Amino acid sequence: DTTGPVIEAASLPADTTIQCGNNPDLLLSEDFDVSDDCNGWEMTAERVTEGLEESPCEYTLIDTYTFTDCDGNETVFVHTITVVDTEGPTISFAIFQDEPYYCAFEVPEYAVPASLTADNDLPFGASDNCATDDEIVVTYSDSVLATNGDNDFTVVRTWVLTDHCDNKTELEQVI
């Protein structure tokens, strides 16, 4: 026997692109339809990650599957998975006061830009599929919609959360 195992083409996964945070496990031998003239074969699998250090926003997982029969003949299949981060942070909860403020100085101000670390006092929580809390930058801007004197006005505060790949999520707060 000088021929390596034959992998049925229909059982081979196509190269694909996925969102960061959803990295799949390596495939198992039973995920492939393999035949060989020799009685029995074995599969080894190895994953190599390329480009993660240079760009955590887009990198590649290269899965190499080697099928070896009882005579030492090999067939190799390489599956390429491109991992991207195109999703902004997700706001998990918001704690905004329902009652009005009675003086302009009561409207809370926050030191920004800030990160989502445990020591901040931001009125919401958020997370990201790829970035850590300290990699999410929070800013806001205020727009006065209506005014009827010094202490009678409506403000729309637009919060912007930006992850390490420059993906943004906005949240509006009416004050």
Side-chain angles (χ1 to χ4, degrees):
D1 179 20
T2 59
T3 305
V6 176
I7 309 167
E8 184 66 38
S11 71
L12 297 175
D15 291 346
T16 188
T17 299
I18 62 171
Q19 277 295 320
C20 175
N22 296 316
N23 293 2
D25 292 332
L26 287 166
L27 298 173
L28 304 173
S29 60
E30 48 271 4
D31 294 325
F32 297 93
D33 185 8
V34 180
S35 60
D36 190 71
D37 292 336
C38 191
N39 199 8
W41 52 270
E42 293 181 0
M43 182 194 86
T44 59
E46 176 186 19
R47 173 168 287 164
V48 174
T49 303
E50 291 185 353
L52 179 60
E53 294 296 320
E54 295 81 24
S55 175
C57 304
E58 183 172 340
Y59 58 94
T60 306
L61 304 175
I62 300 171
D63 296 344
T64 302
Y65 299 92
T66 304
F67 300 85
T68 307
D69 69 14
C70 60
D71 284 331
N73 302 307
E74 292 183 347
T75 301
V76 176
F77 168 68
V78 177
H79 183 218
T80 303
I81 303 169
T82 302
V83 181
V84 297
D85 181 6
T86 59
E87 297 176 0
T90 302
I91 296 168
S92 55
F93 67 87
I95 305 172
F96 297 134
Q97 288 185 316
D98 291 334
E99 69 268 5
Y101 296 101
Y102 294 101
C103 294
F105 69 86
E106 293 178 333
V107 176
E109 296 289 329
Y110 300 92
V112 291
S115 66
L116 289 177
T117 56
D119 61 348
N120 71 45
D121 62 347
L122 299 173
F124 54 83
S127 61
D128 191 72
N129 61 331
C130 301
T132 61
D133 284 354
D134 62 339
E135 293 175 314
I136 299 172
V137 176
V138 180
T139 59
Y140 71 86
S141 61
D142 289 340
S143 299
V144 177
L145 289 185
T147 185
N148 191 18
D150 289 344
N151 288 315
D152 188 6
F153 56 93
T154 301
V155 174
V156 173
R157 178 166 287 169
T158 303
W159 295 90
V160 179
L161 289 74
T162 307
D163 71 11
H164 66 298
C165 294
D166 205 32
N167 300 309
K168 297 179 184 334
T169 299
E170 290 190 8
L171 172 69
E172 285 192 352
Q173 175 187 13
V174 178
I175 302 172

